[in-house]
Amino acid sequence: MVKISPSILSADFTNIKKDFRMMEDGEADLIHVDVMDGHYVPNITFGPPVVKQYRNLTEIPFDVHLMIEKPEIYIEDFVKAGADILTIHSDATIHTHRVIQQIKSYGIQAGISINPGQGLEDIEYLLPYLDLVLLMSVNPGFGGQSFIPETLEKIKILKEMIRKKAPNVLIEVDGGVTLDNAPTIVEAGADILVAGTAIFKAKDPKSMIQKLKME
Ligand code: DX5
Ligand code: ZN
């Protein structure tokens, strides 16, 4: 079954406890935490102190998506804040291989993210060191955008690359995921779906998590 990682970017920050309870009731597999620095992406969210406080609200693993330049500077801070998975962008730092090893040295999971305009060649030789690849299906920075259809082909190519080189690596797809397109994304090879708007703006967010899981 596909895993669901609700993105709290679309949560109600004035009543975040309620949203965390909802994600527990809906049996979310992971919680997707979007960290933005205003440089790598044109938006700013939150940093380690906020993640640390949220960590006390649930046992669900934190899937932390770092949309920040030079992520190596902050890896330790996010580990201490309670990240279970740390994903960096392949073009946010020069030595991705080193940063992945840095993340793994703390005994947590490591991911690399690829933007819609990027190919997969930068990660081919990194696959054996990774736990997941986060394929962006929108340009990072904002929730509520539409799924870029070419991502489907990229998922299929990546799936094949993973099969040959590192069969345990998971494919996570992030951006514009809805109940309508989820079946096609899963069929193409996605193992984890991130969904912000589709879940938090749904009439019944809890049952939306359940419905997305069925795909
Ligand atoms: C975008 C973020 C996504 C975003 C997805 O930069 O990485 O995680 O929250 O939001 P939706 O599901 O609304 O496209
Ligand atoms: Zn994200």
Side-chain angles (χ1 to χ4, degrees):
M1 207 193 317
V2 68
K3 288 183 164 53
I4 303 299
S5 191
S7 164
I8 56 167
L9 192 60
S10 301
D12 177 0
F13 291 102
T14 63
N15 200 352
I16 199 84
K17 277 189 182 171
K18 181 168 161 271
D19 281 340
F20 272 89
R21 210 171 310 125
M22 178 283 289
M23 290 187 280
E24 298 226 323
D25 294 345
E27 295 172 352
D29 301 282
L30 301 165
I31 292 178
H32 190 81
V33 181
D34 285 307
V35 177
M36 306 185 187
D37 67 352
H39 290 276
Y40 184 75
V41 286
N43 197 2
I44 299 177
T45 54
F46 35 73
V50 175
V51 175
K52 192 173 183 180
Q53 291 197 22
Y54 291 167
R55 185 65 284 182
N56 297 324
L57 299 177
T58 183
E59 298 280 307
I60 302 174
F62 274 13
D63 163 30
V64 179
H65 178 190
L66 297 179
M67 285 161 276
I68 64 176
E69 283 179 7
K70 295 198 172 54
E72 58 272 25
I73 299 172
Y74 300 100
I75 299 302
E76 189 176 354
D77 292 345
F78 281 103
V79 171
K80 284 186 179 156
D84 299 277
I85 305 170
L86 271 180
T87 296
I88 61 163
H89 272 260
S90 71
D91 54 1
T93 185
I94 297 172
H95 300 291
T96 45
H97 190 281
R98 180 180 288 148
V99 184
I100 291 300
Q101 285 180 313
Q102 188 187 354
I103 297 171
K104 300 289 288 185
S105 76
Y106 291 101
I108 66 165
Q109 299 198 329
I112 282 272
S113 185
I114 296 288
N115 288 319
Q118 291 181 284
L120 296 169
E121 53 293 336
D122 280 359
I123 57 159
E124 189 175 354
Y125 291 95
L126 272 179
L127 284 177
Y129 304 90
L130 295 174
D131 295 289
L132 65 86
V133 176
L134 175 58
L135 285 184
M136 291 306 303
S137 39
V138 298
N139 286 297
F142 303 94
Q145 304 178 78
S146 298
F147 183 86
I148 296 170
E150 286 72 21
T151 314
L152 289 172
E153 189 190 337
K154 212 190 254 184
I155 299 170
K156 289 179 193 162
I157 296 170
L158 177 60
K159 193 80 177 174
E160 189 54 20
M161 207 187 258
I162 286 174
R163 193 184 63 77
K164 285 190 193 146
K165 295 200 173 249
N168 293 327
V169 175
L170 300 178
I171 301 179
E172 180 172 19
V173 176
D174 185 6
V177 173
T178 65
L179 201 51
D180 285 341
N181 60 24
T184 330
I185 300 169
V186 173
E187 199 182 288
D191 303 292
I192 306 169
L193 298 179
V194 176
T197 308
I199 291 173
F200 289 99
K201 307 295 179 211
K203 268 198 185 130
D204 184 347
K206 179 182 130 187
S207 74
M208 181 54 75
I209 297 177
Q210 289 292 323
K211 284 182 194 159
L212 285 166
K213 272 190 182 218
M214 290 306 142
E215 301 307 338

